[in-house]
Amino acid sequence: MAKKSKEKGGFLTDIETLRRRAREHIEAGAVTPGYRADRDTVTRILNEALATEIVCVLRYKRHHFMATGINAQSVAQEFLQHANEEQMHADQIAARIVQLGGEPNFSPEGLATRSHAEYVEGDTLVDMIKEDLVAERIAIDSYREMISYLGNDDPTTRRMLEGILAMEEEHADDLASLLEELGA
Ligand SMILES: [Fe+2]
Ligand SMILES: [Fe+2]
């Protein structure tokens, strides 16, 4: 246990200890000895999340280009917006994996297996929206689990995932509204 500062109420590490620890293992970059989570586990679950986001980008892109019918224009736009936002999530996650000293897995080999959500093409506009909603609901549950697993052990990753989770909830809500508008 590190020496605690008395002046700061006893819960903060004293400045000399902080400075000394920061100088040790500088090759670890943003990961300091105070990092409490298990880095291998965190990078593994982040790589699963990365695969999920990539599969979601691919599925939304397919749906964007395949949307046809009377309501297709606005729905296709929604699919495109979601695709772009899932791409943003993938990028955020990959950057965090690197910050943690890991390597983001972009390999197409095994991508669908690593992903939590599935790649389902869907035949009609309504089918596509339903499949996207199912995928969003899977993402919502898995992000929620990751967030509670991390707790206070890695607040930066947790906050990133909380931001992504909030957007997946918006996506799910958008899709549910579309289904309602289409009377499905
Ligand atoms: Fe996403
Ligand atoms: Fe989403």
Side-chain angles (χ1 to χ4, degrees):
M1 265 311 259
K3 204 168 64 170
K4 304 290 178 178
S5 151
K6 290 201 174 68
E7 307 90 306
K8 298 280 182 183
F11 62 91
L12 293 173
T13 305
D14 68 275
I15 200 156
E16 294 81 35
T17 307
L18 275 178
R19 286 178 179 167
R20 180 179 45 74
R21 283 200 315 211
R23 281 182 188 282
E24 292 167 358
H25 313 296
I26 54 170
E27 73 286 353
V31 182
T32 64
Y35 185 79
R36 296 230 307 265
D38 175 39
R39 258 200 298 164
D40 290 341
T41 308
V42 175
T43 49
R44 185 179 51 76
I45 62 176
L46 287 180
N47 263 316
E48 287 174 16
L50 175 61
T52 305
E53 294 292 350
I54 296 169
V55 166
C56 289
V57 172
L58 296 173
R59 198 192 54 254
Y60 274 126
K61 284 277 189 179
R62 156 87 187 191
H63 291 176
H64 167 68
F65 288 108
M66 289 299 286
T68 51
I70 204 152
N71 301 295
Q73 262 318 51
S74 60
V75 178
Q77 269 317 106
E78 196 73 42
F79 288 156
L80 180 61
Q81 196 196 322
H82 287 199
N84 292 338
E85 286 165 347
E86 310 302 13
Q87 182 64 63
M88 254 170 43
H89 297 161
D91 293 345
Q92 277 178 280
I93 293 166
R96 183 59 183 160
I97 291 170
V98 174
Q99 245 180 16
L100 291 173
E103 292 181 12
N105 189 351
F106 280 97
S107 173
E109 200 84 54
L111 179 67
T113 319
R114 291 196 302 281
S115 166
H116 298 142
E118 289 173 292
Y119 178 89
V120 183
E121 293 178 343
D123 293 326
T124 64
L125 202 56
V126 168
D127 277 353
M128 294 179 203
I129 301 170
K130 280 185 180 165
E131 287 304 331
D132 291 330
L133 180 51
V134 169
E136 294 292 353
R137 288 167 58 83
I138 291 170
I140 288 167
D141 270 344
S142 62
Y143 281 123
R144 204 179 278 132
E145 275 180 25
M146 288 180 210
I147 289 163
S148 72
Y149 165 76
L150 287 171
N152 289 323
D153 291 345
D154 181 343
T156 308
T157 303
R158 195 196 63 224
R159 266 189 290 118
M160 175 190 78
L161 296 177
E162 284 170 349
I164 295 175
L165 170 63
M167 199 172 280
E168 309 306 6
E169 288 179 354
E170 275 176 39
H171 289 170
D173 194 51
D174 294 343
L175 295 165
S177 306
L178 284 177
L179 282 179
E180 211 170 297
E181 283 165 33
L182 296 174

